[in-house]
Amino acid sequence: MLKKMNKTIKNNAITYGIVIAAYIFVQLLIATGNLSSLMKGLMVPLCTYAILAVSLNLVVGYLGELSLGHAGFMCVGAFSSAFFSKCMKDVITIAPLRFFLALLIGAAVAAIFGILIGIPVLRLKGDYLAIVTLAFGEIIKNLVNVLFIGKDSNGFHFSMKDTMSLHMEPDGKVIINGPQGITGTPNDSNFTIGMILLLITLFIIIRLVQSRDGRAIMAIRDNRIAAESVGINITKYKLMAFTISASLAGVAGVLYAHNLSTLSANTNNFGYNMSIMVLVFVVLGGIGNLRGSMIAAVVLTLLPELLRGLQDYRMLIYAVVLIIMMLFNWSPKAIEWREKYLKFGKNKKKEAQ
């Protein structure tokens, strides 16, 4: 038991250590002027994608359900927090406090949507669940694109037609402008905050997975009927995992929204493309492997930018790397080779002792 605990602590320490080491390395590159402005601009999105990948792994890897609605939860968190920050920009002048409150709002709203969607949807399984969650993500994106909200001396005005339908006073300001989204959100997020949020996300999921609730969630994944027969409340634990995952996706949305001057909902940032991309991070990194999800998110986000000089072959190399990573992670021969190699290394260590 003690040996198992020590192994778990060591494993967790390695996960946190990778994030901290990456942060120190990037800060050194920035301090010595060896990081381009393009790469600096990618730092917050990298943290966002890593949080999304880790949080989705809770549903896909540990709960064993295929969800494609992560971009929808991210969208909810992003727009609710950006709306709050823009309204409170002149009221709460302390940026860290305003961002912290926006973070709580984004996470809470995404969690509420997670519960509302999860209650009917989690009765489905496999492809059906994936299709319904994908549809949810698209509905959210399209709703945001037809939403117009303004504020004047009389309060808030809502419309789903255009800005003229808001019927505001001359002093009124449009906050959400349909397809144009929200302009003028305070740029309160940065790389340091992103890394702190990534560490918090890892801590929440690792603690959950290693707790009694986490074991119940994994039991549902392994054998639903057996889990139910020993008294595990299937609906409760499925909804718990889905809601926590949605809430953390909302946190990623808050981080993303406060890094942009203009936030709008389109297919690339809040549509099915984003949901599929996050799923690719999870699958390539290894289902149920949090470290792998983070590394896959970083590698696959940086790769197109690093290959920008090879304009004609950029996407070809990207596709080849994807295939190689997939074969290395999931090919039976590659798995057999890795197990043999690791076993050989462990045996040598034992012989030396």
Side-chain angles (χ1 to χ4, degrees):
M1 184 72 178
L2 189 67
K3 193 177 178 183
K4 191 179 179 183
M5 274 179 67
N6 289 336
K7 190 181 176 184
T8 303
I9 291 165
K10 187 182 174 184
N11 201 29
N12 295 347
I14 290 167
T15 305
Y16 298 131
I18 287 169
V19 178
I20 294 163
Y23 175 73
I24 293 166
F25 177 68
V26 170
Q27 291 294 358
L28 286 171
L29 288 178
I30 293 168
T32 53
N34 290 319
L35 201 68
S36 66
S37 56
L38 176 68
M39 285 298 161
K40 283 180 190 174
L42 277 175
M43 290 301 108
V44 175
L46 278 176
C47 295
T48 303
Y49 297 145
I51 292 168
L52 284 169
V54 168
S55 61
L56 183 62
N57 216 334
L58 178 61
V59 172
V60 176
Y62 295 103
L63 182 62
E65 297 289 359
L66 182 59
S67 170
L68 293 175
H70 231 50
F73 297 123
M74 181 190 174
C75 182
V76 167
F79 274 88
S80 59
S81 65
F83 179 81
F84 169 81
S85 291
K86 188 168 180 184
C87 291
M88 294 289 116
K89 189 159 50 170
D90 300 325
V91 179
I92 304 171
T93 52
I94 304 165
L97 175 62
R98 185 177 58 227
F99 183 74
F100 177 71
L101 293 172
L103 206 58
L104 293 178
I105 288 166
V109 174
I112 290 164
F113 271 82
I115 294 166
L116 293 174
I117 301 299
I119 290 168
V121 160
L122 289 173
R123 297 176 190 278
L124 303 170
K125 287 190 290 183
D127 298 342
Y128 301 106
L129 178 65
I131 291 163
V132 173
T133 49
L134 182 66
F136 153 72
E138 288 300 299
I139 289 166
I140 290 292
K141 176 177 71 71
N142 289 311
L143 276 176
V144 168
N145 279 329
V146 295
L147 190 63
F148 295 85
I149 301 176
K151 186 186 179 186
D152 63 11
S153 54
N154 295 324
F156 290 101
H157 299 263
F158 300 86
S159 173
M160 296 187 82
K161 286 174 70 181
D162 52 40
T163 51
M164 298 298 292
S165 304
L166 293 171
H167 303 299
M168 290 191 295
E169 299 292 328
D171 65 330
K173 288 182 181 177
V174 177
I175 299 170
I176 300 181
N177 192 10
Q180 292 176 34
I182 300 176
T183 306
T185 307
N187 290 333
D188 292 335
S189 65
N190 55 47
F191 178 55
T192 302
I193 290 171
M195 291 303 261
I196 292 167
L197 291 176
L198 177 56
L199 284 169
I200 291 168
T201 302
L202 283 168
F203 178 77
I204 290 168
I205 293 178
I206 287 169
R207 291 294 296 168
L208 174 66
V209 167
Q210 292 171 359
S211 69
R212 187 180 175 184
D213 293 336
R215 289 192 290 274
I217 288 165
M218 287 185 281
I220 294 166
R221 175 198 65 190
D222 295 336
N223 194 320
R224 183 193 170 105
I225 296 165
E228 206 165 10
S229 69
V230 295
I232 291 172
N233 188 329
I234 304 289
T235 307
K236 175 191 165 184
Y237 288 109
K238 283 179 84 172
L239 193 60
M240 179 193 288
F242 196 73
T243 304
I244 291 169
S245 178
S247 182
L248 292 171
V251 168
V254 176
L255 186 67
Y256 181 82
H258 288 75
N259 188 50
L260 301 169
S261 54
T262 302
L263 178 71
S264 58
N266 56 58
T267 305
N268 290 326
N269 61 0
F270 295 123
Y272 58 85
N273 282 356
M274 175 64 82
S275 290
I276 297 296
M277 187 173 76
V278 178
L279 184 65
V280 167
F281 296 156
V282 172
V283 173
L284 281 180
I287 291 171
N289 185 342
L290 299 180
R291 283 206 295 266
S293 297
M294 284 192 303
I295 293 164
V298 171
V299 170
L300 295 182
T301 306
L302 286 179
L303 200 61
E305 301 305 326
L306 294 172
L307 297 172
R308 199 168 281 278
L310 304 166
Q311 193 65 38
D312 296 336
Y313 305 102
R314 188 161 65 104
M315 294 316 290
L316 174 64
I317 296 167
Y318 180 77
V320 168
V321 170
L322 272 176
I323 293 166
I324 291 167
M325 283 178 74
M326 185 65 85
L327 288 172
F328 183 76
N329 276 332
W330 298 106
S331 165
K333 286 286 181 186
I335 292 167
E336 187 184 318
W337 178 84
R338 285 207 313 273
E339 284 177 354
K340 187 180 176 183
Y341 177 78
L342 290 170
K343 194 177 178 183
F344 176 72
K346 283 175 186 174
N347 288 341
K348 276 189 80 176
K349 210 172 182 181
K350 281 179 184 175
E351 283 168 18
Q353 287 172 352

